[in-house]
Amino acid sequence: MQKKGCPYGTHRVISPKGVLPQPADVIDNTMEIYDNEVLINVQTLNVDSASFTEIVRRACDGKKPTDDLSAADIQSIKDTMLGIVAKAGKHKNPWTGSGGMLIGTVEKIGDNYVGDLKVGDKLATLVSLSLTPLVIDEIIDMRPAIDQVDIKGHAILFQSGIYAILPDDMPENLALSVLDVAGAPAQTAKLVQSGDTVVVIGGGGKSGMLCLYEAKKRAGVNGKVICIAGSPKSAKRAEDLGFADEVIVADATNAVEVYNKIMESTDGKLADVVINCVSIENTEMASILATKDDGTVYFFSMATNFTKAALGAEGVGKDVNMIIGNGYCKGHAAIALQELRESELLRKVFTDLFA
Ligand code: NAP
């Protein structure tokens, strides 16, 4: 007889008592399912970029995921990840608070689970690893540059947990990389109006490229899309894609530099919409200063700090709308996957980088 579970997974919370699984410090990751849960045989974790960057930095003496990592570095990353899960019952990064998502196969479904899933379905979870009960038996392989980690292990999807069945017209790792950041292009589709000036900070990165595509599609010929890239390498990637009208290399932690460059590029008008897709801290002010009064800043980055954004905007007298990057937005998986079907070029770049 299976035990009765709460749709939001509160029955798995160990501490502190009374909170939901995401803010919880420790959750129960025993893999015996409750009556409304789904057991997933996990194949790959796509660790959130901000989370993975921080794990690598701490585990490998300040290195980045894209650096040359030694066998000892890889072992240290593995130990950190296994340590996180052993302590919390989930892969919630203790420093960034963020998770990521996973792909796997449905192994067992609770007797009272309501939904269309069947045993054997291949899916990507669209709820964060920061709330997903997880057991890692073994880390088999790792692609640090793209935040993907192949494991032997299991996870639990709660009744309220959203997911996407993996499409059959693209490789799984390609779909995984896109679905990881699906909220960003979908929010871009909602926010950008025809004729808008849009700045995508971190536009040469994974979510950034999807946002550039969607922003150009929505802003149209009368709009202007500007990409701020962190390095010449990601700037070249964005330039080759051709979705941005202008690509600028600038350090997003240098708010004044970004402001001056966006002032110059927009004839002093600034942007209607700024989308922050960076993977590092202290980029709130560059985003705010690049936005015109009554404009909108969408903070997709998990490294965003609410206090810095709120007090920072007040401090410079900016009346801008600031949106927290909710990873979920209606139809987000479909919108993100559709971009790869619409743009061969985007699909090629994503395939080369992630699949
Ligand atoms: P990504 O592929 O690593 O892209 C990050 C981008 O930030 C890179 O293009 C990088 O450019 C740029 N960048 C880094 N430092 C910079 C700087 N100082 N100035 C300007 N640009 C800089 O990451 P991603 O997967 O797209 O994720 C982006 C963010 O979204 C992360 O913070 C991630 O945690 C977050 N995220 C949020 C959600 C959500 O639900 N809200 C879901 C998934 C991910 P270079 O490579 O040139 O340095």
Side-chain angles (χ1 to χ4, degrees):
M1 178 80 174
Q2 291 167 341
K3 285 190 269 182
K4 211 168 162 41
C6 154
Y8 302 117
T10 52
H11 52 279
R12 292 249 176 201
V13 173
I14 295 176
S15 75
K17 286 278 175 221
V19 302
L20 285 157
Q22 203 285 333
D25 299 327
V26 184
I27 60 172
D28 167 17
N29 64 347
T30 47
M31 287 295 140
E32 199 176 311
I33 57 170
Y34 284 65
D35 70 336
N36 59 352
E37 293 180 337
V38 176
L39 179 68
I40 300 166
N41 188 337
V42 182
Q43 177 182 323
T44 303
L45 305 176
N46 196 131
V47 181
D48 168 70
S49 172
S51 167
F52 202 67
T53 302
E54 188 60 19
I55 288 172
V56 174
R57 194 179 72 78
R58 287 175 182 262
C60 315
D61 295 326
K63 288 186 183 165
K64 290 185 190 165
T66 44
D67 288 344
D68 248 346
L69 299 173
S70 65
D73 288 332
I74 297 290
Q75 189 55 47
S76 183
I77 296 169
K78 284 185 181 178
D79 292 344
T80 306
M81 291 184 64
L82 291 169
I84 290 171
V85 176
K87 202 167 163 199
K90 55 183 180 171
H91 200 277
K92 179 178 179 182
N93 184 309
W95 307 289
T96 64
S98 56
M101 32 93 73
L102 60 84
I103 55 175
T105 308
V106 174
E107 192 168 297
K108 204 169 176 188
I109 299 176
D111 296 339
N112 294 321
Y113 176 79
V114 182
D116 298 330
L117 282 176
K118 302 181 299 302
V119 169
D121 278 348
K122 276 220 136 167
L123 54 71
T125 57
L126 298 176
V127 279
S128 175
L129 289 178
S130 64
L131 62 86
T132 302
L134 176 71
V135 168
I136 302 180
D137 299 320
E138 189 187 344
I139 295 182
I140 302 169
D141 198 7
M142 197 182 288
R143 292 172 290 287
I146 57 169
D147 316 322
Q148 289 187 1
V149 182
D150 296 332
I151 67 158
K152 261 193 196 151
H154 285 86
I156 300 282
L157 185 70
F158 299 133
Q159 176 68 72
S160 58
I162 49 174
Y163 60 85
I165 297 288
L166 289 174
D168 50 19
D169 62 344
M170 61 184 78
E172 286 162 6
N173 285 345
L174 180 60
L176 177 64
S177 63
V178 175
L179 291 169
D180 172 43
V181 292
Q187 288 285 358
T188 304
K190 263 172 55 175
L191 293 172
V192 177
Q193 306 294 320
S194 172
D196 275 354
T197 296
V198 184
V199 172
V200 181
I201 306 185
K206 186 164 68 168
S207 55
M209 291 187 280
L210 296 172
C211 290
L212 286 180
Y213 176 81
E214 203 61 40
K216 191 60 203 165
K217 184 169 152 185
R218 307 282 163 173
V221 285
N222 294 320
K224 180 168 187 179
V225 176
I226 303 164
C227 166
I228 298 279
S231 66
K233 192 172 170 194
S234 70
K236 164 102 176 54
R237 200 182 298 139
E239 261 159 17
D240 290 348
L241 279 171
F243 307 144
D245 299 288
E246 196 175 341
V247 177
I248 298 169
V249 178
D251 176 4
T253 62
N254 186 336
V256 175
E257 180 195 0
V258 171
Y259 170 74
N260 287 334
K261 290 188 168 169
I262 297 300
M263 280 292 276
E264 196 182 322
S265 162
T266 59
D267 293 328
K269 296 194 186 86
L270 299 176
D272 299 287
V273 180
V274 172
I275 299 163
N276 183 320
C277 291
V278 297
S279 50
I280 53 154
E281 294 181 343
N282 295 320
T283 63
E284 294 83 358
M285 288 315 292
S287 314
I288 289 164
L289 287 184
T291 312
K292 62 171 71 158
D293 265 345
D294 294 327
T296 299
V297 188
Y298 174 55
F299 285 113
F300 186 66
S301 167
M302 281 292 166
T304 306
N305 178 297
F306 178 86
T307 313
K308 285 180 190 169
L311 296 181
E314 180 193 81
V316 292
K318 273 278 190 176
D319 185 0
V320 293
N321 305 309
M322 294 193 277
I323 300 180
I324 293 177
N326 181 353
Y328 175 61
C329 172
K330 274 186 200 130
H332 66 333
I335 289 176
L337 291 170
Q338 185 59 21
E339 287 194 5
L340 294 197
R341 297 185 181 112
E342 285 175 10
S343 168
E344 258 180 55
L345 197 51
L346 191 58
R347 182 169 176 148
K348 184 178 178 320
V349 172
F350 265 71
T351 303
D352 290 348
L353 286 172
F354 305 115

